[in-house]
């Protein structure tokens, strides 16, 4: 397998929902490679979540191809796909209350979920996601931030070489936002393929290796954070005046939206 085929490859992906006037994703092309933290960013409605849903088979892929380590994901059985790619979707809720430890163990469904290896993987995932103290609680008792950490733990327990997370820092405080991005950075450094969808551009700039900026279902820019976080490009995509400067502490680009009283996005 060539290096280019490893990880996730989105090739000219088009997603269009039934009865929709326009495609949600139009010709999106990028790669998330092993050992790199790739970030998918863009304003609301730009196609980020639809791109992830197409990977999961939950959005209609009407053209293009998505591959995981060289294999078309559309052709993979659900169990095999789960062994390749662990996903933390943007929205989900259990149908009924379940103990946190049992919920995290669901990530092992593609394997032998009753094995000693599963028990070890679950405890390690809980600890790594800072959710070990929640293990004996029911999911319905969790706060929004606690629920997010438990969902990340489930993905870690899955043990897949590729991890995809759609807005994993939603509902998290500053400390846990940083902890999640530090964890994603560590997973990439260990050789995993990590793709994160995020609105947190300043955190993306600090932690990501490759940034894909979507606008109205298309790739507006992609490359290293310093190349993508360009003031005129971001102003056009987000339809808001801003300044891009340099973070004096870490040297990464940092975005500062400007106040414009009374103005709303067009």
């Amino acid at each position: 397998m060539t290096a280019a085929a490893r990880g996730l490859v989105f090739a000219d992906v088009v997603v269009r929902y039934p009865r929709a006037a326009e495609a949600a994703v139009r010709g999106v092309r990028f790669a998330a490679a092993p050992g790199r933290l790739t970030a998918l960013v863009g304003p609301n409605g730009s196609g980020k979540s639809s791109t992830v849903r197409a990977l999961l088979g939950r959005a209609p892929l009407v053209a293009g191809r998505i591959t995981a380590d060289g294999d078309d994901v559309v052709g993979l059985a659900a169990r095999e796909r789960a062994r390749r790619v662990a996903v933390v979707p943007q929205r989900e809720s259990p149908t009924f209350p379940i103990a946190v430890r049992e919920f995290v163990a669901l990530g092992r469904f593609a394997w032998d979920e009753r094995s000693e290896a599963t028990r070890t993987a679950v405890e390690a995932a809980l600890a790594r996601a800072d959710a070990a103290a929640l293990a004996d609680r029911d999911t319905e008792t969790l706060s929004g931030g606690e629920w997010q950490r438990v969902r990340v733990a489930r993905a870690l327990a899955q043990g897949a070489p590729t991890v995809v997370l759609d807005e994993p820092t939603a509902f998290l405080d500053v400390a846990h936002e940083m902890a999640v991005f530090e964890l994603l950075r560590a997973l990439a450094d260990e050789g995993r393929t990590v793709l994160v969808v995020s609105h947190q551009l300043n955190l993306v700039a600090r932690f990501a290796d490759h940034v894909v900026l979507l606008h109205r279902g298309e790739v507006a820019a992609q490359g290293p954070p310093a190349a993508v976080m360009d003031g005129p490009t971001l102003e056009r995509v987000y339809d808001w005046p801003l300044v891009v400067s340099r973070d004096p502490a870490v040297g990464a680009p940092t975005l500062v939206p400007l106040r414009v009283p009374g103005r709303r996005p067009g």
Side-chain angles (χ1 to χ4, degrees):
M1 184 187 304
T2 64
R6 297 177 61 223
L8 288 176
V9 178
F10 296 78
D12 301 318
V13 168
V14 178
V15 174
R16 185 167 188 162
Y17 295 101
R19 297 180 295 280
E22 297 182 353
V25 177
R26 299 193 294 271
V28 164
R29 172 182 286 267
F30 70 93
R36 290 201 309 182
L37 175 51
T38 301
L40 193 59
V41 303
N44 294 332
S46 60
K48 303 183 302 297
S49 292
S50 291
T51 301
V52 173
R53 292 190 192 110
L55 168 67
L56 292 172
R58 295 178 181 170
L61 181 63
V62 299
R65 189 168 181 244
I66 304 173
T67 60
D69 291 333
D71 293 322
D72 195 325
V73 296
V74 173
L76 293 176
R79 186 178 292 267
E80 180 57 29
R81 188 184 306 186
R83 289 181 175 180
R84 305 280 190 94
V85 183
V87 179
V88 178
Q90 188 177 91
R91 300 182 185 91
E92 66 176 317
S93 58
T95 305
F96 49 84
I98 182 175
V100 164
R101 184 178 280 104
E102 294 177 8
F103 178 83
V104 174
L106 292 176
R108 300 292 298 180
F109 180 76
W111 311 91
D112 179 5
E113 65 271 23
R114 297 183 180 181
S115 69
E116 183 61 34
T118 284
R119 286 188 285 273
T120 300
V122 166
E123 296 306 321
L126 284 164
R128 200 163 191 190
D130 192 24
L134 308 174
D136 296 319
R137 299 231 329 247
D138 282 345
T139 51
E140 69 175 359
T141 71
L142 302 177
S143 69
E146 291 169 340
W147 175 234
Q148 287 292 82
R149 284 148 52 199
V150 166
R151 294 167 69 228
V152 170
R154 183 191 58 187
L156 295 178
Q158 199 165 323
T162 296
V163 183
V164 179
L165 308 98
D166 193 353
E167 295 292 348
T169 60
F171 307 111
L172 297 184
D173 57 39
V174 172
H176 282 104
E177 281 183 339
M178 286 295 295
V180 166
F181 269 88
E182 291 283 8
L183 173 58
L184 300 184
R185 180 69 262 167
L187 293 174
D189 291 342
E190 291 166 9
R192 293 205 210 189
T193 300
V194 181
L195 174 63
V196 59
V197 176
S198 181
H199 283 294
Q200 300 287 357
L201 289 182
N202 289 332
L203 287 176
V204 164
R206 291 182 66 176
F207 288 94
D209 301 296
H210 188 75
V211 180
V212 182
L213 174 64
L214 296 187
H215 181 46
R216 296 178 180 172
E218 300 179 348
V219 175
Q222 66 174 302
V228 174
M229 287 192 66
D230 167 73
T233 299
L234 293 180
E235 283 196 348
R236 173 177 61 84
V237 168
Y238 285 93
D239 188 30
W240 198 267
L242 51 87
V243 171
V244 177
S245 59
R246 188 72 56 179
D247 187 328
V250 296
T254 185
L255 180 151
V256 181
L258 301 179
R259 288 195 62 193
V260 183
R263 180 179 172 180
R264 298 183 179 182

